[in-house]
Amino acid sequence: MLLKFAYQDFLDDRRFKNTSKINIKNYETLLGEFVSYCIKNEVVNVEDISYSHVRQHLSECQERGNKAGTINTKLLRIRAFLNYMVECEVIKSNPAKRVKRQKEDVKIDVFNDDQIQQMLNFYRRVKRREKSYFAYRDYMVIVTILGTGIRRGEIINLQWSDIDFMNQSISVYGKNRRKETIPITEKLSKELSAYHAFCKQHWGEVSDFVFVKRDNTQLTENALALIFRYLGQKMNFKDVRVSAHTFRHTFCHRLAMSGMSAFAIQKLMRHKSINVTMRYVAMWGNELREQNDKYNPLNSLDI
């Protein structure tokens, strides 16, 4: 089967299975890169793809500066495509299965208190000076993620009807398209309520979506990325990347540092497996030890 037709068939199958637009885009970008590599190297049929083609492509990606996490993501996309080809009986086995994942660094960056205050103060100043909706919107985007740990896709799809001010909770559709309810604090509830009142005053007619673009329509994935890129340029932090994921990791980090149980963190982060949560807890173990050394009750006892 011609590779270019197999690639399109695979994408059509993902769309038919209602795969999210973000994941479809990732397949188009990451898998498309592999397809282009194969065609460039005169591998035009799926049946001709070998273990060495997959490994060589990923090696070249590594030489171009791709980190282990990116390499592993690309490998997963290629494996999914070739698994589909096995299901369709185009090939007998998946050659990418023999390619091993790379070991990834376990360090995950989070924001410290000073960095968080610096970002919030930046938006407060702009909001006061310009009375800008966009400064208020961007401020509320980071406050909402810091207060809930919700993901990028959940932020852009969040609607006012998803927010229950009475019971202080929000509903989101998680990774598996499953509706999940997350508790929010009274503080965040008040912030969102004030923001809703501002939106009503600014737009006249409030959109269904909590975060909107200049034409009062739903914020897009690209527009959200531009928010964080702009903020990152303004902050110019040397040791941490300004992104939605870093805010989510910061939320998780603060929960772990507070002494919250791994089970409770799993529920708030909505990790599918407790093992994922435990990786985070283990990662920040040294900081937990430092906090314990500093605040342990035995420190103040004469024993």
Side-chain angles (χ1 to χ4, degrees), residues 11 19-28 77 175:
L11 293 178
T19 300
S20 69
K21 290 181 180 179
I22 295 172
N23 280 334
I24 292 291
K25 187 177 180 182
N26 284 337
Y27 277 119
E28 289 175 339
R77 297 294 185 268
K175 271 191 169 182

Side-chain angles (χ1 to χ4, degrees), residues 159-223:
Q159 299 190 31
W160 287 112
S161 59
D162 297 325
I163 303 174
D164 186 341
F165 289 103
M166 182 78 70
N167 296 304
Q168 294 186 349
S169 66
I170 63 173
S171 297
V172 296
Y173 287 92
K175 271 191 169 182
N176 300 317
R177 301 293 181 87
R178 185 177 62 193
K179 192 172 184 179
E180 299 169 303
T181 301
I182 305 170
I184 60 174
T185 62
E186 183 178 356
K187 193 172 189 178
L188 179 56
S189 180
K190 286 180 177 177
E191 289 275 4
L192 285 166
S193 181
Y195 170 64
H196 182 269
F198 181 89
C199 289
K200 191 171 184 180
Q201 182 183 27
H202 180 82
W203 296 109
E205 184 177 343
V206 179
S207 168
D208 291 338
F209 293 95
V210 176
F211 302 110
V212 297
K213 298 183 297 182
R214 294 183 181 278
D215 57 358
N216 200 22
T217 60
Q218 181 183 10
L219 195 69
T220 62
E221 181 80 12
N222 184 57

Side-chain angles (χ1 to χ4, degrees), residues 6 27 52 63 85 94 115 170-171 186 194 224 251 254 303:
Y27 277 119
S52 60
E63 289 169 7
M85 290 294 102
N94 183 344
Q115 289 167 334
I170 63 173
S171 297
E186 183 178 356
L224 184 65
F251 172 75
R254 296 309 172 93
I303 57 174

Side-chain angles (χ1 to χ4, degrees), residues 106-107 253 256-257 279-294:
V106 294
K107 184 178 181 294
H253 175 257
M257 291 297 293
R279 262 176 42 208
Y280 287 105
V281 174
M283 199 179 307
W284 295 310
N286 289 336
E287 294 181 61
L288 290 172
R289 178 178 292 278
E290 290 169 10
Q291 293 290 308
N292 182 53
D293 289 343
K294 187 175 181 179

Side-chain angles (χ1 to χ4, degrees), residues 121-283:
N121 288 339
F122 166 73
Y123 281 127
R124 288 190 189 111
R125 286 195 302 272
V126 175
K127 186 157 62 83
R128 280 197 300 267
R129 186 174 65 245
E130 301 177 7
K131 293 184 172 54
S132 163
Y133 161 74
F134 302 103
Y136 200 171
R137 177 200 66 187
D138 298 353
Y139 169 85
M140 285 306 304
V141 164
I142 65 175
V143 165
T144 303
I145 303 177
L146 278 174
T148 60
I150 64 176
R151 302 177 178 94
R152 287 175 303 177
E154 295 164 351
I155 272 286
I156 62 177
N157 289 312
L158 187 64
Q159 299 190 31
W160 287 112
S161 59
D162 297 325
I163 303 174
D164 186 341
F165 289 103
M166 182 78 70
N167 296 304
Q168 294 186 349
S169 66
I170 63 173
S171 297
V172 296
Y173 287 92
K175 271 191 169 182
N176 300 317
R177 301 293 181 87
R178 185 177 62 193
K179 192 172 184 179
E180 299 169 303
T181 301
I182 305 170
I184 60 174
T185 62
E186 183 178 356
K187 193 172 189 178
L188 179 56
S189 180
K190 286 180 177 177
E191 289 275 4
L192 285 166
S193 181
Y195 170 64
H196 182 269
F198 181 89
C199 289
K200 191 171 184 180
Q201 182 183 27
H202 180 82
W203 296 109
E205 184 177 343
V206 179
S207 168
D208 291 338
F209 293 95
V210 176
F211 302 110
V212 297
K213 298 183 297 182
R214 294 183 181 278
D215 57 358
N216 200 22
T217 60
Q218 181 183 10
L219 195 69
T220 62
E221 181 80 12
N222 184 57
L224 184 65
L226 290 175
I227 290 172
F228 291 113
R229 187 183 305 168
Y230 173 75
L231 181 59
Q233 290 170 347
K234 288 294 182 182
M235 297 297 103
N236 196 28
F237 298 142
K238 301 299 182 186
D239 58 341
V240 63
R241 178 170 171 257
V242 177
S243 70
H245 222 53
T246 307
F247 281 102
R248 177 170 161 82
H249 284 148
T250 301
F251 172 75
C252 184
H253 175 257
R254 296 309 172 93
L255 299 182
M257 291 297 293
S258 72
M260 182 181 285
S261 72
F263 178 75
I265 295 172
Q266 180 196 6
K267 292 301 180 186
L268 287 172
M269 291 293 290
R270 289 162 296 121
H271 291 147
K272 189 174 181 181
S273 167
I274 190 69
N275 293 331
V276 177
T277 310
M278 291 307 296
R279 262 176 42 208
Y280 287 105
V281 174
M283 199 179 307

